[in-house]
Amino acid sequence: MAQMTPSATTAHFQSSQPSQASFLAPLEISNALLDRMQYLADPLADTTINNILGDWLLPDTPTEHASGNAVAGAQSQMQPQPQWQTQLQPNWQKLAMVSAIFEQWTDNQNLVEWDGDGHGIPADIAEPLKAYVQAASSLPPWADKAKIARAEELFMDYGALSVTLLFCASLPECYVVPDLAAVLQTTGKLINHAEYRVRSTGAMIFPVMMHGGLTSPVGGGIAQVFKVRLIHATVRNLILRGNPEAALAAMAGAVSANPNTQGAGVIAPLATLEGTQNMHQTLFARGWNLHEDGVPCNQEDLGYTLLTFSYIFLRSMRKLGLGFSASDEEAYLHAWNVMAYFLGVNESLMPNTMAQAEAMFKLIQARGRQDQEKHKTEQAESANPDPRPLLGRALMDAMKQAIPLSLIKPFPVMLTRYLCGPATSKDLGLSGWISFASRFLFATSMQIARAVDAAVRFFVPGFSICRLITRILGYRFICQLLMDQTRPLKVPLHVRESVNITMAAWGNDANAPKWVNAVEDYFTVKGNWQRPPQK
């Protein structure tokens, strides 16, 4: 790709204007649409990864393509030889090189200008990535920069609270859909589940929602999302052992040739790689049922994940009595839709209003719970239990470690129950025993806070006990899980510094009276939040 000058790059990001495109038409979410979305991935990113990796060779069948064998169930009959793993070594090396290339995508301008020259990158890796960047780095024509800017302001104003809602609402709801949870469990089984996921999520959310993240050449949002998009494509390629389109075509061909064929679309686990300490190899070995579960990280999964970071945040703000105006809610949804565009999400899964978002969220969750019910007996008889409680407990345990007093350690669990409701709490196994004292303190605090907030805010607009409580929790999570210098966010250094400065500045709540800030300082630290917890 020809290199762009700074002025040309700036014009590139300033050229987007809102249009009267069909994107603004009413969203029509149905089971039929979501059924199709389960078998739709991301052709652009998938083609990019497939062009880099090529065809995977299966054990004992060195001349056959992985996708062709996967759909016939032949793998279950194979006994892989130890030397087979050496045949895969070039692909592991290519994946490591792609991960290293991500370090060069430090901001939106670097992404647009990237061509791989001068870095010693082989042409079979550089060329697909150049095509990927060139084809997908333009702002969508319907993007409204004023709405994006307003969403950024809301994020900055409620940043500390946003972190609490990430932990106690967005991530828990993200774990509810079984297929999505299964992939998350696999990608995290070799590392500390919750802490890694939280930092990975923060590494995407902060660059996107900080000022200019999606609209400025010096912002880092698009560059970070492009990395995540290719990671999703890599996950699909590894689990399906080839391009999703090829796997789907092979499955359809097998069924067409023999409608009664057994095992079409079933990708059997590979025992040879069980116990590996490499995440890529773990994904490659895990197995998948393409016919029943659709494509891993499919469009329905991506659309649902989008809602957990946009709609669930807004819904939680409402539940805390801190809801935004309808225009602000739509601005927040719009900013995340722009992010979703860069992530490769189909526009039919981008809600414009809270009503659309709520309908879509409830339908996808209901479908996920139906799928889980169908597989309950199968899971009980297998060595693969329901991953959702495992994910939920790991997240709650990480939050408990950030709380200093035993009496309030259960607060994150109780706040999650309050924000997500009984169905999600049951899915994640959060209905366990909690002491009466902790339950009484939490319930009383929330009831009093809501009542006092409603009364006092009439006279003091910036007053909110709910905001105070959740900010104090957010401080603990920020300091111990997001600002830990021994486990920094995996973002470019200059972005990490900006994120740390931003989080530190949240130590003063500009929307609250001085005496409320003084109370907050007592339970956290005075001034910025760069220092570790002292109490």
Side-chain angles (χ1 to χ4, degrees), residues 342-357:
F342 288 114
L343 193 61
V345 178
N346 191 284
E347 290 186 6
S348 64
L349 299 176
M350 298 182 188
N352 300 304
T353 67
M354 284 292 283
Q356 293 175 354

Side-chain angles (χ1 to χ4, degrees), residues 50 79 205 229 295 529:
N50 187 68
Q79 297 298 322
I205 290 177
R229 185 174 182 177
V295 176
W529 285 356

